[in-house]
Amino acid sequence: MAERPVQRGAIRLLAMQRIEAVAVPNGAHLAGDKLARIKQMAALRKDGLRPGFPDLILFGRQQLQIGFMEVKREIGNDLSDNQEDWRDMLIGWGFPWAMIRQPEEALDAVREWGWI
């Protein structure tokens, strides 16, 4: 399964548990030739884009329940160095973090976090 259907399925399953998931479009496909994409990426970085930031920000049912999920396709595609850095920082700051490869793993993660 590709990353997009995993993410969409996870968002749908989380919503059924009244957990809001907000997507961070760090992996968006940019239009145009190489120079146009370089310029777009530079502008996005100035606007706050941070390579490696997790794909989803989750808001639980209770006050101050905030967590992060990195979505990967089912096979291959390990974490980049930037993604590992964000994982370590977020966990170090006390936020729950998970990597998922199947939509159902999103529910497993929030269960582990004690959200459901």
Side-chain angles (χ1 to χ4, degrees), residues 27-108:
H29 296 283
L30 303 176
D33 62 15
K34 185 176 181 179
L35 181 58
R37 290 191 307 273
I38 289 170
K39 288 179 180 180
Q40 290 174 61
M41 186 56 72
L44 289 170
R45 285 194 174 120
K46 286 179 183 177
D47 291 340
L49 176 91
R50 298 293 179 262
F53 193 81
D55 297 304
L56 297 173
I57 304 171
L58 276 57
F59 298 93
R61 295 182 250 180
Q62 296 181 24
Q63 186 177 10
L64 299 179
Q65 280 185 329
I66 302 169
F68 298 87
M69 280 189 183
E70 181 61 40
V71 180
K72 294 292 184 186
R73 60 181 180 262
E74 272 187 293
I75 299 171
N77 199 17
D78 293 324
L79 294 175
S80 69
D81 291 342
N82 286 330
Q83 290 168 329
E84 289 178 357
D85 290 344
W86 274 110
R87 175 200 59 201
D88 296 346
M89 282 190 292
L90 291 165
I91 291 171
W93 293 331
F95 291 104
W97 181 97
M99 183 176 78
I100 64 168
R101 292 184 183 273
Q102 297 179 18
E104 298 78 15
E105 291 176 352
L107 295 180
D108 294 339

